[in-house]
Amino acid sequence: MKKYIFILLTIFCIAAISCKKNRSSEGASDNAKSNSNFVTLKSGIIVEKRGNDYFLDGDIQLTPAQLKYLDEKGSFETEGGKKITGPEMSLNPITNLPINLADGTVPRNLGINGDPYRLWAMVRFTYGSSVTNNPKSAIIRAHIKQALLEIQSKSNVRFYNATGQPTVDPTYGFAYPYIEINYVGTSSDVSESSIIGRNPAGGKQTINLADFAVFYSFDPRETYERSDYATIIHELCHAVGMMHEQKRPDRDNYVNINTSNLKNPAGTSQFQPITSNYSYFGSYDFNSVMGYSSLTSSSSIVYDVNQPMYTKKDGTNINQGTTLSDLDRLWLNQYHIPYIARSDVYRELDATVYKTDNTIATPQERLQFQASLNNGNPNPPPGGQIPNNF
Ligand SMILES: [Zn+2]
């Protein structure tokens, strides 16, 4: 397997960055030409400003730290960030995750509460009031649940439903990192969006799901029907660190960008390649749930919605994947461990543990891994599991 040795992003960073201010990035110049809310950063990366928030590619909300680094360095990294530069002995052989727990602020439970400075352990999430108080709450939740379960069944990513639970650790006082999942209906200024990875600053980050993300209506120009939750999967994958497939640095070997149909900067900015601090695996993945379809219905992005934004080299159209492809799964399995929610500090693994090549660990391998995560003890204390329903 060909592996790009670009380094992983923000989500690996230990950063003590105030999430308060610096939303405006010094040096970022407003795009005078279009008089739109697009901003060209010093690095040349074009981002979109909506209210006080900045977005990349339409649906990726940037943290202040991400915006700052995109501005200054053109890459995803946070100040004081700790990069994982490739396989090393401090990483778990199955996951490539650092397994040192003695880093000062060990949370009470690594699974459900997460660590404020690192990757997600379990992805702590809540349903926002826009979901729970909505007249269509049951069906919205059902579709979100389908997406959550789909990701869990095909990868090591695990979610923990913390709706109604504390947002600040009562012992250590830090804000738990968590995702609030919102339903924004047909709101025009927010479509669907997510922050990339876990905000190292901790606290709440949001996924905003538009009507079309939750209630899919068939586009007859597409050759197949998407599900009511494919877009939700896409946004959840952003939240665990994944970027768009069409931004691969080597994508020009696989696709042709139809620049004459792309409006500048709304369309062209969606195809600015990512050249650093992110790992793509394998070759271009036309089945990725993170790739865009060739056709878009958004006339703010293209001049002609019946013409593609980009195509395969043979001129045929690309359809966004409807669920996790093998390479999507491979990416997720590099960086996640399938925890079971517990009330104690024991790190219990789910029955199925994927290795970094997507194969399933044998029962013995699973137990060995579990022991390695728990000072050599492979046996969870009885009674520690807690409910975790979506
Ligand atoms: Zn996206």
Side-chain angles (χ1 to χ4, degrees):
M1 176 185 66
K2 198 163 132 200
K3 174 173 175 178
Y4 291 86
I5 318 209
F6 295 129
I7 292 129
L8 230 255
L9 60 174
T10 359
I11 55 176
F12 289 103
C13 298
I14 301 175
I17 292 172
S18 160
C19 66
K20 296 241 162 61
K21 252 270 163 235
N22 63 26
R23 277 192 182 280
S24 67
S25 65
E26 317 85 307
S29 59
D30 284 305
N31 190 314
K33 208 163 39 175
S34 63
N35 196 27
S36 72
N37 49 359
F38 283 89
V39 177
T40 302
L41 303 177
K42 280 186 295 200
S43 60
I45 305 270
I46 298 167
V47 298
E48 187 181 358
K49 187 170 189 286
R50 296 181 211 144
N52 290 322
D53 296 319
Y54 288 83
F55 292 81
L56 187 70
D57 300 355
D59 72 334
I60 297 172
Q61 187 180 350
L62 299 167
T63 67
Q66 287 171 338
L67 178 66
K68 185 174 189 293
Y69 262 76
L70 271 183
D71 184 39
E72 296 174 353
K73 313 208 184 224
S75 64
F76 275 93
E77 190 182 342
T78 53
E79 206 163 8
K82 177 181 176 181
K83 293 192 263 183
I84 293 178
T85 55
E88 48 175 283
M89 300 325 289
S90 65
L91 300 183
N92 185 282
I94 291 184
T95 66
N96 278 329
L97 277 174
I99 55 175
N100 174 26
L101 304 183
D103 60 356
T105 54
V106 177
R108 289 174 304 115
N109 182 293
L110 285 160
I112 63 171
N113 296 326
D115 181 311
Y117 304 122
R118 290 179 185 265
L119 280 166
W120 296 107
M122 297 184 84
V123 183
R124 190 181 178 94
F125 78 94
T126 64
Y127 292 113
S129 59
S130 57
V131 172
T132 54
N133 293 342
N134 196 287
K136 293 181 283 188
S137 178
I139 185 75
I140 295 169
R141 278 185 67 150
H143 291 170
I144 294 170
K145 180 178 175 178
Q146 278 178 295
L148 296 168
L149 293 179
E150 182 92 354
I151 293 172
Q152 289 200 154
S153 69
K154 293 181 172 171
S155 77
N156 284 342
V157 175
R158 290 295 179 275
F159 298 92
Y160 177 70
N161 184 358
T163 305
Q165 296 185 15
T167 58
V168 172
D169 187 286
T171 303
Y172 295 100
F174 63 76
Y176 291 139
Y178 72 100
I179 299 167
E180 183 180 88
I181 302 178
N182 290 308
Y183 169 67
V184 295
T186 54
S187 166
S188 59
D189 60 334
V190 181
S191 51
E192 88 280 48
S193 63
S194 170
I195 282 177
I196 285 283
R198 177 169 61 66
N199 187 347
K204 178 170 79 174
Q205 58 192 76
T206 56
I207 288 180
N208 290 318
L209 299 172
D211 222 36
F212 73 87
V214 180
F215 301 104
Y216 175 74
S217 57
F218 179 60
D219 182 341
R221 301 172 308 164
E222 292 191 325
T223 55
Y224 63 96
E225 196 157 353
R226 288 168 62 75
S227 69
D228 273 324
Y229 54 93
T231 303
I232 306 175
I233 291 176
H234 177 102
E235 297 310 322
L236 289 167
C237 284
H238 278 320
V240 294
M242 295 185 78
M243 301 290 289
H244 290 135
E245 186 69 10
Q246 74 272 11
K247 302 191 65 149
R248 295 176 67 105
D250 63 344
R251 56 97 196 280
D252 289 340
N253 297 330
Y254 303 94
V255 301
N256 292 326
I257 311 293
N258 189 9
T259 47
S260 62
N261 194 31
L262 292 174
K263 289 185 176 176
N264 190 26
T268 53
S269 61
Q270 314 241 0
F271 289 88
Q272 288 185 300
I274 297 168
T275 56
S276 61
N277 287 350
Y278 185 76
S279 297
Y280 286 102
F281 299 101
S283 60
Y284 197 100
D285 183 7
F286 291 109
N287 298 315
S288 175
V289 76
M290 303 313 288
Y292 280 6
S293 294
S294 292
L295 294 169
T296 175
S297 57
S298 173
S299 55
S300 64
I301 294 174
V302 293
Y303 293 105
D304 182 351
V305 294
N306 294 310
Q307 295 299 318
M309 296 186 286
Y310 71 130
T311 64
K312 294 180 186 174
K313 281 291 182 191
D314 65 6
T316 58
N317 281 344
I318 298 156
N319 290 310
Q320 183 174 32
T322 56
T323 187
L324 300 178
S325 68
D326 285 344
L327 281 174
D328 291 334
R329 296 176 56 222
L330 194 107
W331 196 100
L332 296 172
N333 291 334
Q334 307 296 311
Y335 305 117
H336 298 89
I337 296 174
Y339 287 120
I340 289 173
R342 294 181 64 90
S343 59
D344 55 24
V345 297
Y346 191 88
R347 307 212 292 177
E348 183 176 5
L349 296 174
D350 214 337
T352 299
V353 177
Y354 290 108
K355 298 199 243 185
T356 52
D357 62 358
N358 285 350
T359 60
I360 295 173
T362 65
Q364 190 182 11
E365 287 172 326
R366 176 189 165 279
L367 270 187
Q368 282 173 351
F369 182 27
Q370 185 164 283
S372 75
L373 293 167
N374 295 282
N375 299 317
N377 176 14
N379 303 310
Q385 292 189 9
I386 55 176
N388 181 25
N389 302 313
F390 302 157

